Amino acid sequence: MKVSDEYMPTTDIQFKHELRKQLTDLERKLELLENKDYDKLKREYLKEIEDIQASLQD
C-alpha cells in the first residue's frame, strides 16, 4: 500500500462496510464468550494484538 492510499478519505459505503465487519466480529466474539470458549477468544485477541503491533512497526 502506498502512503497516499492510507490517507484517502473513505466513502460512506466503505465506512458502512467496515462497520458491518466490526459488528460481525463483535457478535462472533460475544458468542465465544457465551459459549465459554475462552481459549479461542484469547487466541483471537492475541492475534489481533500481534497484527496491530506489526503494523505499528512499519
Side-chain angles (χ1 to χ4, degrees):
M1 177 184 296
K2 292 183 266 177
V3 172
S4 59
D5 292 343
E6 292 179 36
Y7 299 103
M8 293 190 65
T10 58
T11 65
D12 188 50
I13 293 171
Q14 290 169 320
F15 179 73
K16 287 182 179 180
H17 177 72
E18 286 301 314
L19 282 179
R20 285 185 190 96
K21 283 175 34 179
Q22 289 179 14
L23 177 60
T24 300
D25 189 49
L26 289 171
E27 290 171 337
R28 189 178 45 73
K29 288 176 181 172
L30 180 58
E31 186 177 331
L32 290 173
L33 273 175
E34 291 172 341
N35 293 333
K36 299 180 181 181
D37 197 350
Y38 304 124
D39 290 334
K40 184 172 183 177
L41 185 61
K42 182 178 178 179
R43 285 191 304 273
E44 288 188 20
Y45 276 119
L46 289 172
K47 175 68 171 124
E48 285 183 52
I49 290 168
E50 183 181 300
D51 291 346
I52 291 169
Q53 288 173 333
S55 293
L56 291 173
Q57 296 300 317
D58 293 344

